[in-house]
Amino acid sequence: PWLIEAMLQVPILRRISDWTGGLVAKFLIYNGVLYFWHIPYMYDLALAVHNLHIVEHLGFMSTAIISWVGVLCSAPSLPRAHPGKQLIYLFAMMLPMKVLGAIITLSDRLIYQGYADAPRVFGLSPMQDQAWGGLLMWLPGGIVMIGSMMIVFSRWWQQEKEEQLRVISGGQESP
């Protein structure tokens, strides 16, 4: 929390935080960047231009940080969303990656020229390479989100249980 609070003293970072405040904004920003860079022209251009490839990955990393603030942050000026909202958000965040992975995996044509131009590794054809890339996005891509949902739910359940015990005991601390 102290690092977040210090970072928010920087005016540009505070403006970014204010602009990306809600979970809907975080969802749209992260997934907008994800889908933008998976437009075939942009994907292939990023592979062809090294500095653009760096910008692409900086975009992925910075928007990923933004996307997790509503779930992970515990700074006073950026409180976490309610656990119920976190669960809905994490579930929703899983879907665009799965859809994109399915599209790439199930395509009957080569979507990205970069797969055709890349050196052949493990003897995979360009179509097989593309399909495996899509599968990695599609299937295991949700593991982190599902694990996070389990943690959020478990903590929420524990908080509710502790609150019920406080109510039952009349607000007194239990031994």
Side-chain angles (χ1 to χ4, degrees), residues 72-135:
L72 296 178
C73 188
S74 59
S77 55
L78 289 177
R80 289 181 188 157
H82 181 275
K85 287 183 180 179
Q86 289 181 38
L87 290 171
I88 293 167
Y89 174 73
L90 290 167
F91 179 77
M93 283 295 285
M94 199 169 40
L95 300 178
M97 181 75 75
K98 293 197 167 297
V99 168
L100 186 57
I103 290 168
I104 293 169
T105 301
L106 300 174
S107 177
D108 59 353
R109 65 177 183 80
L110 198 59
I111 298 173
Y112 304 114
Q113 185 61 37
Y115 284 107
D117 298 340
R120 304 287 28 109
V121 179
F122 306 116
L124 297 175
S125 72
M127 281 297 292
Q128 291 169 325
D129 189 7
Q130 176 177 284
W132 277 104
L135 270 175

Side-chain angles (χ1 to χ4, degrees), residues 1-110:
W2 65 267
L3 179 59
I4 296 290
E5 294 297 335
M7 290 173 61
L8 292 176
Q9 298 305 311
V10 178
I12 186 74
L13 294 178
R14 171 49 81 177
R15 283 194 293 278
I16 291 170
S17 172
D18 292 344
W19 183 70
T20 63
L23 293 179
V24 172
K26 291 172 182 9
F27 175 89
L28 293 173
I29 290 166
Y30 175 77
N31 289 295
V33 168
L34 175 71
Y35 271 72
F36 173 79
W37 286 109
H38 281 85
I39 295 170
Y41 176 79
M42 295 308 299
Y43 188 95
D44 290 332
L45 187 62
L47 288 179
V49 180
H50 180 71
N51 287 340
L52 191 57
H53 194 88
I54 291 170
V55 168
E56 173 192 37
H57 284 272
L58 287 172
F60 289 150
M61 290 185 289
S62 62
T63 59
I65 290 168
I66 289 169
S67 74
W68 280 99
V69 167
V71 176
L72 296 178
C73 188
S74 59
S77 55
L78 289 177
R80 289 181 188 157
H82 181 275
K85 287 183 180 179
Q86 289 181 38
L87 290 171
I88 293 167
Y89 174 73
L90 290 167
F91 179 77
M93 283 295 285
M94 199 169 40
L95 300 178
M97 181 75 75
K98 293 197 167 297
V99 168
L100 186 57
I103 290 168
I104 293 169
T105 301
L106 300 174
S107 177
D108 59 353
R109 65 177 183 80
L110 198 59

